[in-house]
Amino acid sequence: MESSAAPTVSAGQDAGPAPVDLLRRLRARGAGDPVTHVERVPARVGVPAPWPAWAPPELRAAFARRGVVAPWQHQAEAATLAYEGGHVIVATGTASGKSLAYQLPALATLLADPRATVLYLAPTKALAADQLRAVADLTLEGVRPACYDGDTPRAEREWIRRHSRFVLTNPDMLHHGILPGHAQWSGFLRRLAYVVIDECHTYRGVFGSHVAHVLRRLRRQCARFGATPVFVLASATSGDPATAAGRLTGLPVTAVTEDASPRGGVTFALWEPPLLPPDSSASPPVPPQATGEHDELRQVRRSALRETADLLADTVAEGVRTLAFVRSRKGAEVVAANARRALDDAVPGLGDRVAAYRGGYLREERRELERALLHGDLLGLASTNALELGVDLVGLDAVLICGYPGTRASLWQQAGRAGRSGQEALAVLVARDDPLDTYLVHHPEAIFGAPVEATVLDPANPYVLAPQLACAAVEAPLTPADLALFGDGAKEAIDQLVEAGALRQRPTGWYWRHRERPEVDLRGEGGAPVVVVESSTGRLLGTVDGGSSHFLLHPGAVYLHQGVSYVVDDLDLADGCALVHVEEPDWSTHARDVTDLSVVSVRSYVDAGPVGMFLGEVDVTSQVVSYQRRRIATGEVIDTRPLDLPTRELRTVAVWFTLSPRSLASAGVQQADVPGALHAAEHAAIGLLPLMATCDRWDIGGLSTALHPDTEAPTVFVYDGHPGGAGFAERAYGTASAWLRATRDAIAECGCETGCPSCVQSPKCGNGNNPLSKPDAIRVLDVVLGNLPA
Ligand SMILES: [Zn+2]
Ligand SMILES: [Zn+2]
């Protein structure tokens, strides 16, 4: 299928081959055409706006020195809304100049009012450091911008609190440092005019829910000092940004979404690596499993990594400056290494013009890579999405995206690196062996015709709300007036904290009863964090939250930290410590668990004759029992090794559907095939849920059974993998028929015969992908869709 009209290409000065010609040559390389769709994204002409009348000449001159002659329409609109006191979110594409939208009102206010202050929040320290540089370079009198984070020397902290009027930090520092120390910050908070929340789409799920309450705590402290700051948020393009920003801040927020910056045209191809011939030597036989489990995840398609490496080599050979996005650091290195090898085979020395980028580089190193790529010294770069944030790398000739990055928002962010103004560029999405990727390359309308996902967070999650209220109570006793601020469930959570002895109720409010502060990790989810220590040096490398430690730090696990690979020797759960040593094996590890589930309560349901659709609380008991080692380059399974770890309990939110045995029988599903049918449908449904919500399949768990004791029927459960739920199951319930329709189509349209990783097999199955019945999964979903109201 090819829907694009013939593009008109205006060749720029040093333009490489036109994207259409380049794509024609790339797709003609092998047997069969791997391209399933070509979309032409037209160029856009920029719409400038005059400087707002309120912007002082001094500030205009400072921006002019930086090359900003006039703002774009969206920048001016958002800036004026904020300057006039409205809370605003600007949600536009990569490199659309979102920072001007908040810098303009914030800095104009600092210049007009010599006492006012601004607090800027970024999700990463690197981004805050870049932003500091940008503000400092404007050299405005009396602003004194400064970063305040974990790396700020003690000696400088007091100076910053007293004298800086533009403090750049991150939500963790606000939570652990600034809010608990509000007395020392009272001068700054009392004068706080603006809170800027950059890259706010990264605050999603449980982490986003925590950040939402940290912001409410900030608003509460400001109110105590008499300040009501204006919130300005910047986001990648996202669905319904006003609602997401409202949930995040608890305030009414106006969205500015019309991107008025100029953009070059992009030819966007969807690319599905070919099926391997049945007895191909490129598909090595899978060795017998150590635990005697069924063989699984046999490769039936050429891997996306190999395909991307070949494409990178081909574009570089054509002199096209290309950026390849790969999901893992190791994967990025494999892509770069393979491309280098192929290029050196063709022209010795040409391989030197390809590099891999990993996170953790210093700013200067990143700038050097950017410079080399933009000047053409370097022609190809394979990178993780670490480049998505805070890196000024746009205007490339081609972008290769190895595997769907999880959301349309990220996809557009990555593709947005391609295309200079007035010049055409190429973007290629290379599908991985995964149901979601397969679905997308066969349903271009789900990419090009659909709005980007809404950012999902749930501040009412009791597992987030209660610890955050405890933190708030330490900062100042809670009063009935605070209940509205913290939203639904706040009263119940306070009652529980009183019952647990954490809070005491007095006539003036609820008081924290302990000497020490509660330990609350914004990124953690219950369970004390496990520290990762290098055995030979005793060096602390990092921490992993308790919930993930069984998966990530079991003995034998390969653990990546800042681009360096370690292998875990021992996980001591009693001490909360994992010992590791440096080692870079050429395999990755994948933990597997077994799961049991019981229904606690039903929140909502749809009775659809033989089909029932439910949303409710469940208790999940799981145990990590083994792990697989897989070759990084090919995904080939080396072996499966047993583990001896304790079980864990999770109270969370699930969506589930039931079917009557009779409806299954009349749809032609034999009784013996019911377990395989449900199991296959469950896997694919989990794989497709990220189409509906900003989650990863790793955020979600599932369980299917031919007869569940609580539902007394054949049932498929899909649950949030986070205590209390993160909003994903709720979203799945709300979009059930669209979600399951996409699931059904993904299975039906996969070209394999009996099921493969592109449709019904799961890389994290606790049952070794057995049993699975692909044709019966389609029948199951047809029954559900045939009865469920649309
Ligand atoms: Zn398949
Ligand atoms: Zn499974």
Side-chain angles (χ1 to χ4, degrees):
M1 175 171 30
E2 192 156 337
S3 71
S4 62
T8 47
V9 178
S10 55
Q13 287 175 327
D14 59 342
V20 229
D21 298 334
L22 177 61
L23 181 61
R24 187 175 305 129
R25 283 197 291 280
L26 293 176
R27 66 201 288 191
R29 222 185 27 191
D33 187 356
V35 172
T36 57
H37 179 80
V38 178
E39 184 86 10
R40 162 107 178 101
V41 183
R44 184 178 58 217
V45 181
V47 184
W51 288 104
W54 49 263
E58 185 187 354
L59 189 54
R60 297 182 202 187
F63 281 118
R65 282 197 299 278
R66 210 165 73 184
V68 180
V69 193
W72 303 113
Q73 182 87 55
H74 64 281
Q75 294 171 323
E77 185 188 343
T80 296
L81 280 167
Y83 190 78
E84 289 170 351
H87 309 293
V88 56
I89 178 168
V90 53
T92 50
T94 313
S96 58
K98 291 185 280 274
S99 53
L100 189 70
Y102 54 76
Q103 285 170 357
L104 200 54
L107 294 170
T109 301
L110 294 191
L111 293 176
D113 174 358
R115 291 173 43 78
T117 60
V118 172
L119 183 67
Y120 166 95
L121 297 170
T124 65
K125 285 184 208 166
L127 183 56
D130 286 355
Q131 191 59 210
L132 170 66
R133 186 79 56 116
V135 174
D137 282 351
L138 293 169
T139 58
L140 295 167
E141 187 75 26
V143 172
R144 300 182 290 273
C147 276
Y148 190 93
D149 58 35
D151 297 341
T152 309
R154 296 260 157 217
E156 286 173 28
R157 293 189 175 193
E158 192 185 339
W159 184 91
I160 293 170
R161 284 193 295 264
R162 291 166 69 116
H163 300 293
S164 174
R165 297 173 59 216
F166 198 118
V167 170
L168 302 102
T169 186
N170 53 65
D172 304 83
M173 194 64 186
L174 184 58
H175 165 65
H176 288 294
I178 295 174
L179 288 170
H182 57 83
Q184 291 174 302
W185 284 89
S186 60
F188 182 89
L189 295 175
R190 178 171 293 126
R191 296 176 284 129
L192 190 59
Y194 285 95
V195 178
V196 175
I197 307 175
D198 208 354
E199 304 283 358
C200 68
H201 57 279
T202 56
Y203 305 130
R204 63 171 192 90
V206 173
F207 176 49
S209 307
H210 271 293
V211 173
H213 287 296
V214 172
L215 295 175
R216 283 160 178 74
R217 284 161 51 202
L218 172 66
R219 287 175 49 208
R220 182 167 169 259
Q221 287 304 323
C222 288
R224 289 180 65 225
F225 297 123
T228 49
V230 171
F231 282 70
V232 188
L233 303 94
S235 164
T237 312
S238 74
D240 200 2
T243 301
R247 275 195 156 193
L248 187 64
T249 58
L251 294 163
V253 180
T254 305
V256 173
T257 56
E258 197 72 33
D259 193 334
S261 64
R263 182 185 65 191
V266 175
T267 297
F268 202 137
L270 305 183
W271 188 286
E272 184 175 43
L275 287 164
L276 294 165
D279 299 317
S280 164
S281 58
S283 174
V286 180
Q289 306 296 298
T291 56
E293 282 176 52
H294 269 248
D295 156 33
E296 62 202 82
L297 296 175
R298 189 193 303 279
Q299 261 198 299
V300 298
R301 274 184 202 287
R302 200 154 185 272
S303 91
L305 287 176
R306 284 189 191 181
E307 201 80 349
T308 305
D310 285 357
L311 288 169
L312 181 60
D314 289 349
T315 53
V316 166
E318 298 242 10
V320 172
R321 292 171 318 149
T322 308
L323 178 58
F325 280 106
V326 187
R327 286 172 58 116
S328 72
R329 284 182 274 222
K330 196 74 197 176
E333 281 165 23
V334 168
V335 165
N338 284 350
R340 272 198 297 266
R341 199 173 308 127
L343 286 164
D344 277 334
D345 284 351
V347 182
L350 192 54
D352 291 346
R353 301 185 74 184
V354 173
Y357 173 91
R358 304 176 313 198
Y361 281 120
L362 298 174
R363 184 177 190 283
E364 287 66 31
E365 295 170 311
R366 282 189 282 139
R367 292 294 173 262
E368 175 52 30
L369 273 178
E370 288 165 19
R371 196 205 55 76
L373 194 55
L374 290 178
H375 284 73
D377 304 341
L378 198 61
L379 279 173
L381 185 64
S383 168
T384 63
N385 67 0
L387 266 182
E388 259 183 44
L389 289 182
V391 173
D392 212 8
L393 194 58
V394 289
L396 292 153
D397 301 319
V399 167
L400 308 172
I401 300 167
C402 178
Y404 182 60
T407 61
R408 286 179 288 267
S410 285
L411 184 78
W412 288 115
Q413 187 131 340
Q414 296 184 353
R417 302 282 173 195
R420 276 173 290 176
S421 180
Q423 217 164 294
E424 295 289 317
L426 177 68
V428 181
L429 169 64
V430 180
R432 278 178 313 161
D433 241 1
D434 172 282
L436 183 55
D437 285 38
T438 308
Y439 176 82
L440 290 170
V441 293
H442 291 285
H443 288 263
E445 76 282 0
I447 294 178
F448 302 107
V452 293
E453 307 73 4
T455 305
V456 172
L457 60 143
D458 179 14
N461 178 339
Y463 292 82
V464 173
L465 187 50
Q468 286 291 335
L469 283 165
C471 294
V474 181
E475 285 152 16
L478 291 161
T479 65
D482 292 324
L483 294 178
L485 176 67
F486 289 97
D488 290 346
K491 183 63 173 60
E492 291 79 356
I494 289 174
D495 290 345
Q496 278 168 18
L497 288 166
V498 170
E499 208 165 293
L503 295 183
R504 171 178 291 146
Q505 185 164 16
R506 292 195 185 142
T508 48
W510 291 277
Y511 287 71
W512 179 246
R513 295 184 56 164
H514 304 292
R515 282 179 67 87
E516 61 287 343
R517 294 175 39 77
E519 269 198 30
V520 178
D521 180 0
L522 301 187
R523 295 159 200 268
E525 13 218 60
V530 172
V531 297
V532 185
V533 176
E534 190 179 21
S535 323
S536 59
T537 60
R539 196 160 63 96
L540 173 69
L541 298 175
T543 61
V544 168
D545 68 85
S548 305
S549 62
H550 294 215
F551 280 95
L552 300 178
L553 294 174
H554 60 77
V558 175
Y559 173 76
L560 288 170
H561 176 72
Q562 297 203 339
V564 181
S565 167
Y566 299 83
V567 172
V568 178
D569 298 312
D570 185 38
L571 172 61
D572 186 333
L573 290 165
D575 281 354
C577 170
L579 294 175
V580 305
H581 66 271
V582 175
E583 187 184 334
E584 189 145 22
D586 67 350
W587 61 80
S588 55
T589 52
H590 306 261
R592 310 230 316 244
D593 64 346
V594 292
T595 302
D596 204 9
L597 183 151
S598 62
V599 174
V600 178
S601 65
V602 172
R603 230 188 250 178
S604 173
Y605 69 96
V606 178
D607 182 353
V611 171
M613 179 68 66
F614 300 84
L615 178 73
E617 279 83 43
V618 296
D619 275 336
V620 180
T621 309
S622 65
Q623 184 178 23
V624 173
V625 292
S626 64
Y627 69 102
Q628 279 188 342
R629 298 191 302 157
R630 287 190 218 143
R631 279 277 172 244
I632 286 160
T634 61
E636 168 207 345
V637 176
I638 303 169
D639 59 12
T640 302
R641 300 181 165 199
L643 288 168
D644 182 22
L645 289 166
T647 56
R648 289 176 23 250
E649 314 279 334
L650 172 72
R651 165 81 50 101
T652 185
V653 179
V655 56
W656 65 94
F657 60 83
T658 57
L659 305 95
S660 71
R662 183 184 304 211
S663 68
L664 285 175
S666 49
V669 182
Q670 304 290 318
Q671 190 156 7
D673 296 327
V674 170
L678 299 173
H679 190 200
E682 171 216 321
H683 280 184
I686 291 172
L688 268 292
L689 185 52
L691 195 60
M692 306 293 155
T694 51
C695 58
D696 197 275
R697 78 184 290 161
W698 302 93
D699 287 329
I700 315 161
L703 183 119
S704 54
T705 167
L707 178 66
H708 193 275
D710 295 334
T711 65
E712 298 177 344
T715 311
V716 172
F717 292 92
V718 173
Y719 58 85
D720 273 342
H722 307 274
F728 304 133
E730 193 184 330
R731 177 89 184 150
Y733 180 76
T735 59
S737 60
W739 167 45
L740 296 177
R741 166 73 51 200
T743 303
R744 186 237 176 252
D745 291 350
I747 302 172
E749 286 157 11
C750 185
C752 73
E753 275 184 26
T754 56
C756 72
S758 297
C759 55
V760 298
Q761 293 188 346
S762 163
K764 53 176 283 203
C765 180
N767 291 322
N769 279 297
N770 180 54
L772 287 178
S773 169
K774 174 177 170 176
D776 288 317
I778 299 171
R779 294 187 184 106
V780 162
L781 291 164
D782 280 339
V783 172
V784 175
L785 290 164
N787 288 284
L788 205 63

